[in-house]
Amino acid sequence: MNLNNKLAVITGISKGIGKAIALTLLDKGCSVMGWGLTPPDYQHSNLHFEECNVRSFESVQSAFGKFEKAFDKPADILINNAGLGYFGLTENIDIDELHQIFETNVYGTFYTCKLLIPGMKQQKSGHIINISSTAGLEGNPQIGMYAASKFAVRGFTQSLFNELREFKVKTTCVYPGSVRTDFFNNAPGVTPHANMMSADEVAQNIIFVLETTDNFNINNLEFRPLIARPE
């Protein structure tokens, strides 16, 4: 896809990976509609922001309605980046936190796809990128509910590939390892460090996926730090 003049919707746009992707797409000539809980701390003539809580279908519907009013065409790109994690032993898990994780990571991804897919199918083009995690590939102690949500994103994206390929709509599931963002604020004992990947490098690899030719689909993209521990 030639990204110049394309239209992208990104959730969780205000920081971390979402911010890095948005800035890179803007540099490539895209128009970006960002949905998130807090406004971004950066501006661009082609950046549009709408407050949106992806945990709520009504909130996503409202943001989508504003998207339709602002643009006279379907989205070319949807990046489901908004994510949330809480960690701990299974018997200590707070049920409200469990709901928050699934409503954000799973339901939010479904809501945006439900609303944006019809336009992509109609124009017979588009690319949906769902951000999972290496926790969506393997379960480890004290990440059970987070891993379950990211495994769900993985399965959902695989199903979407088979639903949408005949409409020439691409799907990619991305599995980042540890990235230096404030995601780890909810992970006691884990502090971002220099050996974690940068959000900018993650964004550059996602841009590579988007810029592949029309009949070339990267279904899964996994990357991890070579050395995971701080030196």
Side-chain angles (χ1 to χ4, degrees), residues 71-85:
F71 300 98
D72 60 356
K73 65 185 291 292
D76 300 294
I77 299 163
L78 168 61
I79 300 178
N80 280 302
N81 166 73
L84 179 67

Side-chain angles (χ1 to χ4, degrees), residues 138-150:
E138 56 193 31
N140 284 298
Q142 301 193 49
I143 66 166
M145 61 180 177
Y146 178 69
S149 74
K150 291 303 189 177

Side-chain angles (χ1 to χ4, degrees), residues 15 23 35 76 95 112 129 132 146 165 168 198-199 210:
K15 52 192 175 182
L23 289 172
W35 294 348
D76 300 294
I95 296 302
T112 59
I129 293 186
S132 179
Y146 178 69
R165 61 192 304 187
K168 301 181 180 179
S198 73
L210 289 170

Side-chain angles (χ1 to χ4, degrees), residues 23-92:
L23 289 172
T24 309
L25 286 176
L26 290 166
D27 285 344
K28 291 280 187 176
C30 279
S31 292
V32 174
M33 170 67 84
W35 294 348
L37 293 174
T38 57
D41 61 1
Y42 55 97
Q43 295 181 338
H44 191 283
S45 58
N46 288 330
L47 174 65
H48 310 263
F49 174 78
E50 291 294 339
E51 183 176 344
C52 177
N53 182 354
V54 297
R55 294 174 58 194
S56 162
F57 185 55
E58 290 74 17
S59 183
V60 177
Q61 280 183 309
S62 175
F64 178 68
K66 293 173 182 176
F67 165 80
E68 288 188 305
K69 289 180 180 178
F71 300 98
D72 60 356
K73 65 185 291 292
D76 300 294
I77 299 163
L78 168 61
I79 300 178
N80 280 302
N81 166 73
L84 179 67
Y86 293 106
F87 308 95
L89 296 171
T90 299
E91 64 268 28
N92 296 331

